[in-house]
Amino acid sequence: MAGGTADGTGPEGARTAFASALRAAITGSGLSLDRIQARLRARGATVSVTALSYWQSGKRQPERPGSLSAVRVLEEILDVPAGSLLGLLPPPRPRGATRRDRQGEEPLTFTRETLQPLLDRVGAPDALDQQHQLKLVGLHDRCEIAADGGQRKITSRAVFQAGADGQDRWLLVYAQDDAASVPQVHAVRNCRVGRTETDDTHGILVAELLFDRPIDRGETHLIEYSLTNAGPPYPECRATHYREFRRPVREYLLEIHFAPDAVPARCWQYSRGGDTTPSRRRLRLDSTGGVHAVAMDFGPGIFGISWE
């Protein structure tokens, strides 16, 4: 990650940083662990009082997808900036093979059981396990935040390189924090939208993006597509936008553009996962009311921008 600064000197240091920040946030909130657990449960996040106690003491850390989702809800309950706790977590501890080499890795933002039926219905049941022959070389996301603070639109440009002949499509998986709605996917250039499936309960979209022509080994192809939400009001995005990379990407550029009435007081980039220590870095808004961050040779892991 370009220009990042690490919190802690390694996994143990980062784990201590998370525990200390969580403990301070709980103390500052004046809430008991029982009350925090009740509020989590009311928002659909199931975490035991024992787990909360272990997290704040540093004995354990949130690692599973459900626990990581609960941390995002915790940030709201404890009234701390979005990403301020999640960004302190160290990479999940490896189980068996390393995350970089392991096939069939569990997605971080939703469970395999949730995603698998959608993959089956678009004709890609083995997408999580197979060896892919299409490498994502570069990606540029531009996320537009509306005046009400919701997410209006995302425009993405992606460059791929084929590792085998006849590569003709890419499978897009998108999860919306506000599960009440799923965005519409539109092909902008060099591709068209194929089969799509949605899970409105969990706010997940799976779509085929079919290339204008197949590409052979060593060739590259650039596509552009957009995800547009209905509104206003636009779906809540919990003041953050991120990408989960299950495989390394050479370059990732993320832009957030804010409507004049939604310009935040502070912004920062954050990352975690893979072989890197979790990090955060303050960002400055530019003259157009936007902010950006760049990740180089990043992944697997999560890279994003949060704001207040």
Side-chain angles (χ1 to χ4, degrees), residues 10-283:
E12 291 301 328
R15 190 174 301 122
T16 301
F18 170 79
S20 298
L22 176 60
R23 189 163 56 249
I26 291 174
T27 300
S29 73
L31 298 172
S32 67
L33 295 184
D34 288 325
R35 290 181 64 189
I36 292 173
Q37 184 208 29
R39 294 189 182 190
L40 284 167
R41 186 169 58 247
R43 301 189 187 197
T46 303
V47 180
S48 68
V49 171
T50 300
L52 290 171
S53 178
Y54 282 163
W55 290 356
Q56 71 167 345
S57 69
K59 292 181 180 179
R60 293 182 186 173
Q61 66 182 32
E63 290 187 336
R64 300 182 65 83
S67 297
L68 297 173
S69 296
V71 173
R72 297 188 186 96
V73 181
L74 259 179
E75 291 172 342
E76 297 178 5
I77 292 172
L78 300 176
D79 195 25
V80 297
S84 61
L85 294 177
L86 196 63
L88 294 176
L89 281 170
R93 289 167 291 187
R95 294 177 173 89
T98 66
R99 293 175 60 86
R100 185 177 300 277
D101 296 332
R102 192 169 74 239
Q103 295 296 314
E105 178 187 333
E106 179 85 357
L108 298 178
T109 50
F110 38 78
T111 65
R112 185 187 185 100
E113 289 73 19
T114 299
L115 182 59
Q116 191 62 52
L118 300 177
L119 297 176
D120 293 340
R121 294 203 292 272
V122 298
D126 302 322
L128 290 176
D129 300 312
Q130 68 187 11
Q131 182 66 41
H132 290 265
Q133 297 297 335
L134 192 64
K135 180 180 180 181
L136 179 63
V137 177
L139 182 64
H140 176 191
D141 284 340
R142 188 178 191 272
C143 176
E144 299 178 23
I145 303 301
D148 62 5
Q151 186 183 89
R152 191 179 76 84
K153 183 179 181 180
I154 301 167
T155 303
S156 299
R157 292 199 302 269
V159 179
F160 301 96
Q161 185 173 43
D165 293 345
Q167 302 304 303
D168 63 355
R169 70 195 61 199
W170 184 56
L171 194 65
L172 168 68
V173 178
Y174 180 79
Q176 184 107 286
D177 280 339
D178 186 348
S181 63
V182 174
Q184 291 290 318
V185 57
H186 303 280
V188 178
R189 57 173 168 154
N190 300 335
C191 65
R192 59 185 174 88
V193 178
R195 290 171 291 185
T196 64
E197 291 290 339
T198 60
D199 180 342
D200 293 327
T201 301
H202 298 94
I204 300 175
L205 164 72
V206 175
E208 286 183 314
L209 295 175
L210 306 175
F211 298 168
D212 287 350
R213 63 175 181 84
I215 59 174
D216 293 333
R217 179 189 296 271
E219 284 189 287
T220 59
H221 190 66
L222 181 149
I223 66 171
E224 186 170 354
Y225 64 91
S226 64
L227 297 164
T228 305
N229 286 302
Y234 292 99
E236 295 181 5
C237 57
R238 298 185 183 180
T240 188
H241 182 78
Y242 64 90
R243 276 273 188 170
E244 175 185 345
F245 296 95
R246 298 185 68 245
R247 296 170 182 84
V249 62
R250 187 175 301 169
E251 178 182 308
Y252 175 51
L253 168 60
L254 173 58
E255 286 187 86
I256 310 292
H257 182 77
F258 301 95
D261 292 339
V263 174
R266 294 194 304 165
C267 298
W268 60 92
Q269 70 181 51
Y270 61 91
S271 66
R272 64 178 179 82
D275 300 327
T276 61
T277 301
S279 66
R280 299 180 69 213
R281 180 191 177 198
R282 285 285 300 273
L283 300 172

